[in-house]
Amino acid sequence: MTAEIVPDTQHRGLVAALPQPLRDYAQLARFDRPIGWWLLFWPCAWGLLLAGGESRWDLLLWFLLGSIAMRGAGCVYNDIVDADLDRQVARTAARPVASGRVSKGAAWAWLLALCGVGLVVLLQLRWEAQLVALGSLALVAAYPFMKRITGFPQAWLGLVFTWGVPVGWIAVSEWNLGGMAALYAGAVLWCVGYDTIYACQDREDDALVGIGSSALTLGKHVQAGVAGFYAGAVLLWALAFWLLRPDWLALLALAPAALHLAWQVLTLDDKNADNALARFRSNRTTGLLVALACWVVGNA
């Protein structure tokens, strides 16, 4: 197996310029695909900003660093667990562990190094937020196995990948936990929606290998399913805003994000891998729009 850049990489030139061993470790942590750490970071920012932490720019920067490191660690762990499956899927067969370019022992060492960075970030939080952050470890450890036992592993990913909402919230506040719960629930549905779009790229391979995905489960109804997940997300975010500020004007802050999600659904072609990947990546914009809405409502 040659050390080619994976098909959905975003920085071919940067990664390709690295010496081969460094390139393999960069790919293993998905440093060539920053969309993943943005999607992990934005829920942290939402929780922090909606809870009134607009002045804590230091925490936002720590959360960004932590998102880069822990998203990388999660990808390394996932690739170690899924190496045999990845070899059977065209889009993932060239990954460093699946292809044999990086041994599992070396991958575990890289995983521990990334977790060390995550530990440094964890120590910047007050102890209550540290406990909340550590509460995600069991969810993270179980995620790679979900595709083997359920047709909707995206639901589990939603629980894992948006855990930053309660971490960011508790980092600055312990009040209005109902609003925090609504924000988190909406983030989970958002994640299920965008990862369903992402899973459209692998439907044929997933079916052949025998693993589950929401794209396979929904079949011909992917577009309607994503629309439902996104609609539920917006409604729950609106509830979170209402619980903090019961004013109809406050809900208008969500309009840009809602329109962007509607654009994704209306222009989605789930049979076109490039179209699906572009719509998936556009959720970086969704995250920013929701963050701005949280900043407005949380600090009005």
Side-chain angles (χ1 to χ4, degrees):
M1 182 69 66
T2 59
E4 63 188 69
I5 304 299
V6 290
D8 52 353
T9 186
Q10 287 180 265
H11 293 298
R12 296 175 187 272
L14 178 61
V15 173
L18 293 172
Q20 185 59 58
L22 293 179
R23 184 193 310 172
D24 288 335
Y25 286 98
Q27 285 184 256
L28 188 55
R30 310 293 195 275
F31 289 161
D32 56 325
R33 286 181 282 169
I35 180 60
W37 74 61
W38 282 116
L39 294 176
L40 191 61
F41 165 73
W42 283 126
C44 302
W46 301 350
L48 180 74
L49 293 172
L50 194 58
E54 82 283 1
S55 64
R56 296 303 308 273
W57 293 102
D58 58 325
L59 278 183
L60 280 176
L61 293 175
W62 281 116
F63 281 140
L64 180 58
L65 176 61
S67 297
I68 294 170
M70 296 314 296
R71 185 269 188 143
C75 289
V76 175
Y77 174 66
N78 190 77
D79 282 10
I80 292 171
V81 173
D82 282 352
D84 292 338
L85 290 176
D86 284 346
R87 293 187 188 101
Q88 304 175 61
V89 177
R91 189 177 57 81
T92 60
R95 286 179 175 173
V97 176
S99 66
R101 298 195 311 277
V102 174
S103 69
K104 286 191 175 181
W108 278 113
W110 182 217
L111 170 61
L112 291 175
L114 291 167
C115 287
V117 177
L119 178 60
V120 171
V121 175
L122 183 71
L123 294 176
Q124 310 310 310
L125 308 177
R126 61 181 186 146
W127 70 267
E128 295 92 340
Q130 291 176 2
L131 292 179
V132 174
L134 291 172
S136 69
L137 293 180
L139 295 172
V140 173
Y143 169 67
F145 303 98
M146 291 299 109
K147 63 175 71 72
R148 296 165 169 83
I149 62 176
T150 176
F152 242 99
Q154 280 70 23
W156 196 271
L157 180 70
L159 297 174
V160 172
F161 228 67
T162 61
W163 195 261
V165 168
V167 175
W169 191 292
I170 297 299
V172 295
S173 176
E174 295 179 26
W175 70 284
N176 206 329
L177 297 184
M180 181 194 74
L183 184 67
Y184 174 58
V188 170
L189 289 181
W190 171 61
C191 180
V192 174
Y194 70 62
D195 204 57
T196 296
I197 294 175
Y198 187 78
C200 290
Q201 302 172 92
D202 296 331
R203 280 187 295 197
E204 293 183 4
D205 286 329
D206 287 348
L208 288 172
V209 175
I211 57 178
S213 83
S214 54
L216 281 175
T217 301
L218 290 169
K220 297 179 180 179
H221 307 293
V222 165
Q223 193 170 28
V226 172
F229 297 135
Y230 281 172
V234 172
L235 288 174
L236 284 164
W237 292 335
L239 174 60
F241 284 15
W242 188 264
L243 290 173
L244 267 76
R245 186 181 175 194
D247 183 340
W248 291 106
L249 287 176
L251 303 185
L252 291 178
L254 280 172
L259 289 173
H260 181 74
L261 292 174
W263 167 81
Q264 285 187 41
V265 172
L266 293 173
T267 61
L268 174 63
D269 180 358
D270 62 283
K271 297 179 179 61
N272 183 318
D274 290 338
N275 175 283
L277 184 59
R279 300 307 176 275
F280 164 75
R281 284 179 177 164
S282 74
N283 279 285
R284 177 166 38 198
T285 300
T286 309
L288 173 61
L289 293 174
V290 176
L292 292 173
C294 289
W295 175 67
V296 169
V297 175
N299 302 283

